[in-house]
């Protein structure tokens, strides 16, 4: 039998030729006569159908009729994708003939792209169901993807497969493999192949050469049950055919080669998987730790924000001051540990991402809502609510202070007014004028006029009471209902007094013509005594009035007003002497004309003694008011000292924090010295910052004294305690983040094998193009930096690089991302395809793997890890307990299923 370079396979006068190498050898004339033998066609149809289904079942489908099921091209394209592992062009979805031809052409184009030249085979023959052409096409696919790559001792394809079979069956009796047709008719060669690799499956000593059908069926059944090789031939067809179809036999035998040839790779594959799984387990531990810390911090923020958002005001000053004290405890005791947790969480996240990049793993994506940015946003929301809560507390305390003052003032004015109105309604309701004498009527008339004057004088007080009540309502006073009730009672009584007063005047005027002139001196006394008495009432009210001030200027304003009041006392004393002079004149007239004065002045209830007593009371209240004002001056001076003390410290601490922030920024971009020296410098900065904490604590103490003194402003400094706290927290976060960045640079340097000089060169290039000196480069600066380092960048290439260094599309490139890019190509890493191929070897080329196989090939810990995370395999012909290693391998690297 001669070997030739070119192989021809004839199907109804059409030919198919491979340009890469000869897969077959021409047989003698007797072989050619059998080329179109129906028995051969039957064997090819069954074998090729089973071979196609062994691959199509991996995609969850199969064929029944080989010339019919490939006519629309869809399953043909799917078959090529499964056996090649590559993606073909998207098939046409229509059912018209031209759609089918287009799909078949796509499959034929793909076959041609793999180095196979198709001669005289067109898509139309396949679409028309030409069985010869279809079988020829499938045989070409089998040659290319199942037989061509077989290589044994520098022989390949058919010769390589034949040599492999000869080597494996050489020790067995009654077996002499010389070809792929009659050498296999008795079934002993197939049984010898199985026994050579799996002696536990067949007892070769019991096989008989005179039982070919039994031998063949034994091989078919064992291969299908234990080796996952489907039954592709019928024993009767092989035995009853003078020369079995060579293509069918080669196709079936190639399955045994692929099932057994890779057994020695199992140990290497297991070691690779162990290494990958160990890295993955450590990364998962870090991810779980991050998730736990993030959940706890977010839960604390979630619980704290509603407490800070609670704006339900307390009704008393004591209760609101307790709220303020609780808030101070939160700022001093509860929040600082959470600040440290947030900083540590960011450090852990950056370290984990660096490890993932170094092991060629996808970046860690925390659970929804637990990204570093989510935690930062939640923290920002917490601080916003916190700031609003403190402002609300101080506002509420001022409001309650104002309310207490107004409520006390309201009660005082109401008491004075109610005291004045006591009995007035009864007095105005009397009808004493009906039985009075002429002099008594005149007295009643004058008395009523004095009352009206007094009533008008009290109008201002009633209006003040109403105004105070309205303000208490506007400020949401907790006891507004009783205030409104009391105010309404006073207003109703006032309206009634006005009505009664007018009625009594009308009655007196009706009888006034019956009376004569009344004593003018009594009337004059009553008229002058009443307003003077009202003035003294107002003066006593003002002298006893409560006041609230927040600065020395305000108390000085009150002192000035008090001094102005004292300046009016001499004039008031003259008025008192004049009023008392009227009474003296009455007494003198009575004595002169012998008038007997009986009872009191008929025109007023005020007596000279009342005027005298009130005047003495006013004079006693003046020095008391002086003392109260001077005490308030001393308190405001003490508050001013507190302001100045706080300002002196804040004006030192604030710039110190800013200077440290700038110094840390300079250290982070300084290329002098090694990374370890930079780390030592940063650690010293960190220790200095920690040692400075005592100054912050002292300032907190002064701030607490200021708040306890209810001092709300400070003109001596622009720094508030909130500014200092925020700056201090930012300083702690910045030094921790900078230390973490240097640690990551050290980790990258050690993992990538980068020298200190290379790192310095990278840092120098980065600093040169970091024009803003903020540790980040704009895309334009980054492009200029790459060009300066010898990169030839087009728009597409630069866009690809930007996706690597700025995956979140922030518009800037950090130094860590720059270092990762510059060292990305230097490390050898595993891929998902390599891990998948390793699992495929362990699974004996099956699309799934069993728990027994994992436990046999892998160490116990890694085996149980895989079993706990692999999903159940749901493809066709899946064995019990089958696991999907393809999805598991893709998930390790964050990829979708291949």
């Amino acid at each position: 039998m001669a070997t030739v370079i070119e192989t021809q396979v004839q199907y109804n006068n059409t030919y198919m030729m491979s340009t890469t190498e000869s897969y077959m050898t021409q047989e003698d004339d007797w072989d050619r006569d059998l080329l179109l033998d129906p028995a051969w066609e039957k064997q090819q149809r069954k074998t090729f159908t089973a071979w196609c289904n062994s691959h199509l079942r991996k995609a969850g489908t199969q064929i029944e009729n080989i010339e019919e099921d490939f006519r629309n091209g869809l399953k043909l394209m799917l078959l090529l994708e499964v056996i090649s592992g590559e993606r073909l062009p998207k098939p046409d979805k229509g059912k018209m003939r031209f759609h089918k031809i287009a799909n078949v052409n796509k499959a034929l184009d793909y076959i041609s792209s793999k180095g196979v030249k198709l001669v005289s085979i067109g898509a139309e023959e396949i679409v028309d169901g030409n069985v010869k052409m279809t079988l020829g096409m499938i045989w070409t696919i089998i040659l290319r993807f199942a037989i061509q790559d077989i290589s044994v001792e520098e022989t390949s394809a058919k010769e390589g497969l034949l040599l492999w079979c000869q080597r494996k069956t050489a020790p067995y009796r009654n077996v002499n493999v010389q070809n792929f047709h009659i050498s296999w008719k008795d079934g002993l060669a197939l049984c010898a192949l199985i026994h050579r690799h799996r002696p536990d499956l067949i007892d070769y000593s019991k096989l008989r050469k005179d039982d070919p059908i039994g031998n063949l069926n034994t091989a078919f059944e064992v291969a299908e049950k234990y080796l996952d090789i489907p039954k592709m031939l019928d024993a009767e067809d092989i035995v009853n055919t003078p020369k079995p179809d060579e293509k069918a036999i080669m196709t079936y035998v190639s399955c045994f080669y692929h099932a057994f040839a890779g057994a020695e790779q199992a140990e290497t594959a297991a070691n690779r998987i162990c290494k990958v799984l160990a890295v993955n387990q450590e990364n998962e531990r870090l991810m779980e730790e991050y998730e736990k810390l993030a959940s706890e911090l977010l839960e604390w923020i979630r619980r704290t924000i509603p407490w800070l958002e609670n704006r339900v005001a307390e009704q008393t000053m004591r209760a609101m001051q307790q709220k303020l004290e609780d808030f101070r405890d939160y700022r001093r005791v509860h929040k600082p540990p959470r600040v440290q947790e947030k900083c540590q969480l960011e450090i852990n996240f950056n370290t984990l991402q660096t490890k993932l990049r170094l092991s060629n793993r996808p970046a860690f994506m925390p659970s929804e809502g637990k990204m570093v940015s989510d935690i930062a946003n939640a923290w920002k929301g917490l601080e916003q609510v916190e700031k609003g809560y403190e402002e609300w507390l101080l506002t509420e305390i001022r409001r309650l202070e104002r309310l207490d003052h107004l409520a006390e003032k309201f009660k005082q004015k109401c008491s004075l007014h109610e005291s004045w109105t006591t009995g007035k309604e009864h007095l105005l309701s009397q009808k004493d004028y009906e039985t009075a004498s002429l002099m008594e009527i005149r007295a009643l008339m004058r008395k009523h006029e004095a009352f009206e004057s007094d009533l008008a004088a009290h109008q201002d007080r009633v209006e003040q009471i109403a105004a105070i009540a309205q303000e208490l309502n506007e400020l949401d006073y907790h006891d507004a209902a009783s205030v409104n009730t009391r105010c309404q009672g006073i207003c109703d009584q006032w309206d009634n007094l006005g009505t009664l007063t007018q009625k009594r005047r009308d009655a007196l005027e009706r009888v006034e013509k019956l009376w004569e002139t009344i004593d003018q001196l009594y009337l004059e006394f009553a008229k002058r005594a009443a307003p003077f008495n009202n003035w003294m009432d107002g003066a006593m009210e003002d002298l006893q009035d409560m006041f609230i001030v927040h600065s020395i200027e305000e108390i000085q304003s009150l002192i000035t007003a008090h001094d102005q009041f004292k300046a009016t006392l001499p004039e008031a004393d003259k008025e008192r002497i004049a009023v008392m002079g009227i009474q003296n004149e009455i007494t003198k007239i009575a004595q002169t004309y012998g008038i007997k004065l009986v009872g009191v002045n008929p025109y007023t209830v005020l007596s000279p003694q009342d005027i005298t007593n009130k005047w003495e009371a006013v004079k006693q209240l003046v020095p008391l008011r002086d003392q109260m004002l001077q005490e308030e001056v001393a308190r405001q001076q003490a508050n001013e000292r507190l302001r100045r003390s706080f300002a002196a410290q804040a004006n030192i601490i604030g710039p110190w924090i800013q200077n440290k922030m700038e110094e840390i920024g300079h250290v982070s971009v300084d290329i002098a010295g090694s990374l370890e020296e930079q780390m030592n410098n940063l650690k010293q900065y960190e220790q200095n910052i920690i040692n400075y904490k005592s100054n912050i604590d002292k300032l907190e103490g002064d701030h607490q004294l200021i708040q306890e003194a209810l001092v709300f402003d400070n003109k001596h400094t622009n720094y508030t305690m909130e500014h200092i706290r925020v700056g201090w927290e930012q300083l702690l976060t910045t030094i921790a983040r900078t230390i973490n960045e240097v640690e990551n640079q050290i980790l990258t340097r050690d993992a990538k094998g980068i020298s200190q000089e290379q790192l310095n060169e990278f840092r120098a290039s980065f600093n040169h193009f970091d024009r803003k000196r903020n540790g980040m480069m704009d895309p334009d600066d980054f492009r200029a930096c790459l060009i300066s380092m010898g990169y030839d960048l087009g728009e597409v290439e630069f866009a690809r690089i930007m996706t690597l260094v700025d995956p979140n599309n922030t518009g800037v490139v950090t130094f860590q991302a720059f270092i990762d890019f510059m060292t990305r190509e230097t490390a050898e890493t595993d891929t998902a395809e390599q891990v998948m191929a390793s699992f495929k070897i362990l699974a004996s080329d099956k699309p799934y793997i069993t728990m027994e196989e994992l436990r046999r090939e892998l160490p116990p810990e890694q085996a149980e890890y895989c079993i706990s995370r692999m999903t159940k395999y749901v493809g066709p012909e899946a064995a019990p307990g089958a696991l999907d290693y393809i999805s598991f391998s893709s998930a390790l690297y964050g990829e979708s299923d291949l």
Side-chain angles (χ1 to χ4, degrees):
M1 181 170 54
T3 302
V4 298
I5 302 301
E6 190 177 55
T7 301
Q8 295 182 343
V9 182
Q10 180 180 1
Y11 296 97
N12 289 343
N13 297 323
T14 59
Y15 299 90
M16 181 184 311
M17 182 180 299
S18 169
T19 61
T20 57
E21 64 174 309
S22 175
Y23 303 126
M24 299 174 57
T25 58
Q26 293 181 339
E27 304 293 343
D28 54 17
D29 294 338
W30 180 78
D31 293 333
R32 287 183 176 274
D33 293 337
L34 295 178
L35 188 60
L36 301 179
D37 191 331
W40 282 23
E41 179 180 322
K42 178 182 177 182
Q43 291 176 17
Q44 288 184 15
R45 184 192 299 268
K46 179 176 179 64
T47 302
F48 292 177
T49 300
W51 184 85
C52 292
N53 284 335
S54 71
H55 293 285
L56 287 174
R57 69 182 182 182
K58 299 175 183 178
T61 185
Q62 63 181 9
I63 61 173
E64 299 293 339
N65 190 315
I66 196 166
E67 68 269 19
E68 291 294 330
D69 292 348
F70 284 141
R71 289 179 64 184
N72 61 5
L74 296 178
K75 289 190 177 180
L76 179 59
M77 295 179 69
L78 181 60
L79 173 65
L80 291 172
E81 288 186 347
V82 171
I83 63 178
S84 68
E86 299 179 9
R87 181 68 66 182
L88 270 67
K90 185 176 181 182
D92 292 0
K93 296 298 184 180
K95 297 182 179 180
M96 304 297 289
R97 175 178 174 81
F98 70 87
H99 291 128
K100 299 177 181 180
I101 292 174
N103 290 335
V104 174
N105 274 326
K106 291 177 182 178
L108 295 179
D109 290 343
Y110 178 77
I111 295 173
S112 298
S113 70
K114 294 303 178 180
V116 178
K117 184 176 181 181
L118 302 176
V119 180
S120 300
I121 287 188
E124 291 80 0
E125 287 85 351
I126 306 301
V127 173
D128 292 338
N130 187 317
V131 65
K132 303 297 183 180
M133 302 296 286
T134 303
L135 291 174
M137 177 188 65
I138 297 301
W139 173 240
T140 301
I141 293 174
I142 294 172
L143 284 175
R144 173 61 182 83
F145 293 100
I147 299 176
Q148 175 184 340
D149 293 335
I150 295 176
S151 178
V152 179
E153 296 185 3
E154 299 183 357
T155 62
S156 59
K158 176 181 177 182
E159 289 76 10
L161 181 60
L162 183 61
L163 178 59
W164 178 79
C165 294
Q166 291 171 341
R167 294 289 178 82
K168 296 298 180 180
T169 60
Y172 291 86
R173 59 181 174 83
N174 298 325
V175 177
N176 183 18
V177 178
Q178 297 298 325
N179 51 51
F180 286 106
H181 37 80
I182 59 177
S183 295
W184 304 85
K185 289 187 65 174
D186 59 8
L188 291 177
L190 288 174
C191 292
L193 279 178
I194 296 174
H195 185 268
R196 178 65 179 269
H197 295 91
R198 292 292 301 275
D200 58 310
L201 300 180
I202 291 179
D203 187 353
Y204 189 82
S205 63
K206 295 182 179 180
L207 300 178
R208 303 195 318 274
K209 186 175 180 62
D210 59 357
D211 185 17
I213 292 179
N215 297 337
L216 287 169
N217 284 330
T218 297
F220 295 159
E221 292 171 1
V222 169
E224 184 173 29
K225 183 175 181 180
Y226 297 103
L227 303 180
D228 197 29
I229 299 175
K231 184 178 181 182
M232 300 182 182
L233 302 167
D234 284 329
E236 291 78 4
D237 292 342
I238 296 176
V239 173
N240 296 330
T241 302
K243 181 181 178 183
D245 180 59
E246 186 177 48
K247 304 175 187 61
I249 297 296
M250 284 181 64
T251 300
Y252 188 61
V253 172
S254 69
C255 294
F256 286 89
Y257 173 84
H258 291 295
F260 293 136
E264 63 273 9
Q265 303 174 16
E267 182 177 356
T268 301
N271 292 334
R272 180 185 295 275
I273 291 174
C274 290
K275 175 184 175 183
V276 172
L277 294 180
V279 172
N280 209 64
Q281 286 175 305
E282 174 62 15
N283 290 340
E284 286 187 356
R285 184 189 67 77
L286 293 176
M287 294 175 189
E288 291 171 357
E289 181 179 350
Y290 173 88
E291 292 280 346
K292 179 176 178 294
L293 291 176
S295 298
E296 291 175 355
L297 182 58
L298 288 171
E299 176 63 19
W300 178 81
I301 294 174
R302 185 190 64 79
R303 294 196 311 267
T304 304
I305 286 179
W307 174 65
L308 294 174
E309 288 178 339
N310 181 14
R311 298 296 193 270
V312 178
E314 301 293 341
Q315 297 180 355
T316 63
M317 178 70 76
R318 180 185 296 274
M320 286 305 297
Q321 288 176 337
Q322 182 60 46
K323 276 183 174 288
L324 181 60
E325 185 62 30
D326 293 342
F327 180 72
R328 291 171 183 157
D329 288 341
Y330 156 78
R331 297 290 283 275
R332 292 193 303 265
V333 179
H334 301 293
K335 185 181 178 184
R338 300 298 180 177
V339 174
Q340 294 298 324
E341 289 181 8
K342 174 176 175 291
C343 178
Q344 188 62 44
L345 194 66
E346 294 176 356
I347 292 173
N348 291 349
F349 180 84
N350 292 336
T351 301
L352 174 59
Q353 297 294 44
T354 299
K355 289 185 175 182
L356 289 173
R357 286 194 300 271
L358 293 177
S359 61
N360 197 29
R361 297 303 195 273
F364 170 52
M365 291 297 293
S367 302
E368 183 177 358
K370 296 180 182 177
M371 295 286 292
V372 172
S373 58
D374 296 326
I375 295 173
N377 291 335
W379 190 267
K380 182 178 180 182
L382 173 69
E383 292 184 333
Q384 290 176 347
V385 174
E386 177 182 311
K387 181 179 180 181
Y389 185 75
E390 183 177 27
E391 294 173 352
W392 173 76
L393 282 176
L394 297 177
T395 301
E396 281 300 311
I397 289 175
R398 294 190 190 101
R399 185 182 69 84
L400 287 176
E401 186 179 27
R402 174 67 176 165
L403 283 175
D404 290 345
H405 169 69
L406 289 175
E408 188 61 31
K409 190 172 184 178
F410 176 83
K411 293 176 182 178
Q412 184 182 25
K413 287 185 177 293
C414 287
S415 297
L416 289 173
H417 178 78
E418 289 166 350
S419 175
W420 178 81
T421 59
T422 301
K424 294 295 189 294
E425 292 173 297
H426 175 71
L427 180 64
L428 292 172
S429 300
Q430 289 180 353
K431 297 183 179 181
D432 49 350
Y433 51 82
E434 295 179 350
T435 58
S437 63
L438 176 60
M439 295 300 293
E440 290 172 340
I441 289 298
R442 290 180 175 176
L444 291 174
M445 189 63 188
R446 300 299 181 270
K447 183 178 180 181
H448 189 69
E449 290 176 353
F451 174 79
E452 287 180 327
S453 178
D454 198 9
L455 185 68
H458 281 78
Q459 177 69 33
D460 289 340
R461 181 178 293 157
V462 174
E463 292 175 356
Q464 291 173 5
I465 290 172
I468 294 173
Q470 181 179 357
E471 187 172 358
L472 287 171
N473 278 276
E474 291 173 352
L475 293 177
D476 196 22
Y477 182 56
H478 69 91
D479 198 17
S482 62
V483 169
N484 293 337
T485 300
R486 190 171 186 182
C487 180
Q488 187 61 44
I490 290 174
C491 292
D492 293 342
Q493 184 187 41
W494 185 256
D495 292 338
N496 189 39
L497 284 175
T499 301
L500 292 175
T501 299
Q502 186 60 40
K503 287 181 179 179
R504 184 169 180 83
R505 168 171 280 281
D506 293 340
L508 291 173
E509 287 178 350
R510 285 196 301 269
V511 298
E512 186 177 11
K513 59 183 178 180
L514 303 174
W515 308 100
E516 296 180 356
T517 306
I518 195 158
D519 188 355
Q520 294 297 321
L521 290 175
Y522 270 122
L523 182 59
E524 182 66 17
F525 176 86
K527 288 183 176 181
R528 296 189 68 173
F532 183 68
N533 180 66
N534 288 335
W535 176 86
M536 288 192 295
D537 287 341
M540 293 175 65
E541 184 178 341
D542 291 340
L543 290 171
Q544 298 178 81
D545 188 21
M546 299 174 64
F547 55 83
I548 300 175
V549 294
H550 298 95
S551 65
I552 294 178
E553 292 76 8
E554 293 178 4
I555 191 60
Q556 289 295 344
S557 177
L558 290 178
I559 292 175
T560 300
H562 184 61
D563 290 341
Q564 292 175 352
F565 168 76
K566 290 192 293 185
T568 64
L569 289 178
E571 193 66 28
D573 191 41
K574 290 181 181 179
E575 179 64 16
R576 181 189 65 81
I577 294 173
V579 172
M580 298 303 295
I582 295 174
Q583 182 62 33
N584 293 337
E585 183 67 19
I586 292 172
T587 302
K588 182 178 178 181
I589 292 173
Q591 292 174 353
T592 301
Y593 296 99
I595 299 175
K596 185 177 181 181
L597 300 177
V598 180
V600 298
N601 190 328
Y603 305 114
T604 181
V605 296
L606 293 173
S607 66
Q609 188 61 42
D610 294 333
I611 300 298
T612 300
N613 291 341
K614 285 191 177 182
W615 178 253
E616 291 299 323
V618 169
K619 291 196 297 182
Q620 292 175 3
L621 288 173
V622 169
L624 292 177
R625 184 71 169 183
D626 286 333
Q627 181 181 354
M628 290 175 61
L629 292 173
Q630 291 304 318
E631 290 174 353
E632 184 61 28
V633 168
R635 191 174 75 87
Q636 290 302 323
Q637 290 175 343
N639 290 347
E640 183 67 14
R641 287 192 294 273
L642 288 176
R643 290 189 184 96
R644 293 181 181 275
S645 175
F646 177 86
Q649 298 178 73
N651 289 336
I652 295 174
I653 293 175
W656 184 88
I657 291 175
Q658 183 62 34
N659 290 337
K660 290 301 177 184
M661 291 286 286
E662 294 175 357
E663 291 175 4
I664 292 171
H666 291 318
V667 171
S668 66
V669 299
D670 189 5
I671 63 174
S674 64
L675 290 177
E676 285 73 11
E677 292 174 347
Q678 293 182 33
M679 177 64 70
N680 291 334
N681 291 338
L682 289 172
K683 291 292 186 180
Q684 292 177 1
Y685 272 102
E686 184 180 36
Q687 187 59 44
N688 292 338
I689 291 170
I690 293 173
N691 294 338
Y692 200 77
K693 181 65 166 58
S694 59
N695 296 313
I696 305 297
D697 295 337
K698 184 176 184 303
L699 189 64
E700 284 279 9
D702 289 352
H703 178 64
Q704 182 173 352
L705 293 176
I706 287 177
Q707 289 195 322
E708 290 173 352
L710 299 180
V711 177
F712 304 113
D713 55 1
N714 193 340
K715 64 183 179 180
H716 303 296
T717 180
N718 293 325
Y719 294 99
T720 66
M721 196 63 226
E722 182 62 23
H723 292 153
I724 299 300
R725 291 192 192 106
V726 171
W728 180 253
E729 292 172 359
Q730 290 178 346
L731 181 59
L732 293 177
T733 301
T734 299
I735 186 64
R737 184 181 295 113
T738 304
I739 290 174
N740 178 248
E741 288 177 355
V742 176
E743 289 174 343
N744 285 339
Q745 291 177 29
I746 293 174
L747 183 62
T748 301
R749 181 198 66 189
D750 296 340
K752 302 291 185 176
I754 302 172
S755 66
Q756 183 64 45
E757 291 73 15
Q758 288 177 304
L759 279 177
N760 289 343
E761 180 182 351
F762 291 155
R763 170 58 79 180
S765 298
F766 187 88
N767 290 346
H768 177 74
F769 289 94
D770 179 14
R771 307 186 192 283
K772 297 182 180 179
R773 294 297 183 266
N774 59 356
M776 293 179 287
M777 286 193 293
D778 294 336
D780 291 340
D781 294 336
F782 179 55
R783 178 194 288 271
C785 180
L786 292 179
I787 292 173
S788 72
M789 298 179 73
Y791 281 81
D792 184 11
L793 298 176
E795 291 298 328
V796 175
E797 175 64 12
F798 182 69
R800 183 190 70 80
I801 293 175
M802 283 302 297
T803 62
L804 297 177
V805 299
D806 185 18
N808 296 324
N809 198 22
T810 60
V812 295
V813 179
T814 64
F815 180 67
Q816 185 62 44
F818 178 73
I819 288 294
D820 289 344
F821 170 73
M822 298 303 296
T823 60
R824 187 178 301 275
E825 305 300 328
T826 63
E828 179 182 355
T829 56
D830 297 306
T831 65
E833 290 76 9
Q834 292 174 328
V835 176
M836 198 180 305
S838 299
F839 272 118
K840 188 174 183 181
I841 292 171
L842 297 187
S844 300
D845 205 33
K846 299 191 297 296
Y848 61 84
I849 193 168
T850 64
M851 290 186 286
E852 291 75 12
E853 291 171 330
L854 287 172
R855 292 188 174 116
R856 183 177 68 238
E857 301 294 345
L858 299 180
E861 181 180 358
Q862 277 72 25
E864 296 305 321
Y865 175 79
C866 293
I867 292 171
S868 65
R869 282 163 172 76
M870 283 188 182
T871 59
K872 181 179 179 182
Y873 177 73
V874 295
E877 303 180 15
L883 301 175
D884 187 353
Y885 64 80
I886 296 177
S887 299
F888 176 73
S889 300
S890 299
L892 286 177
Y893 290 86
E895 301 175 358
S896 60
D897 291 348
L898 295 178

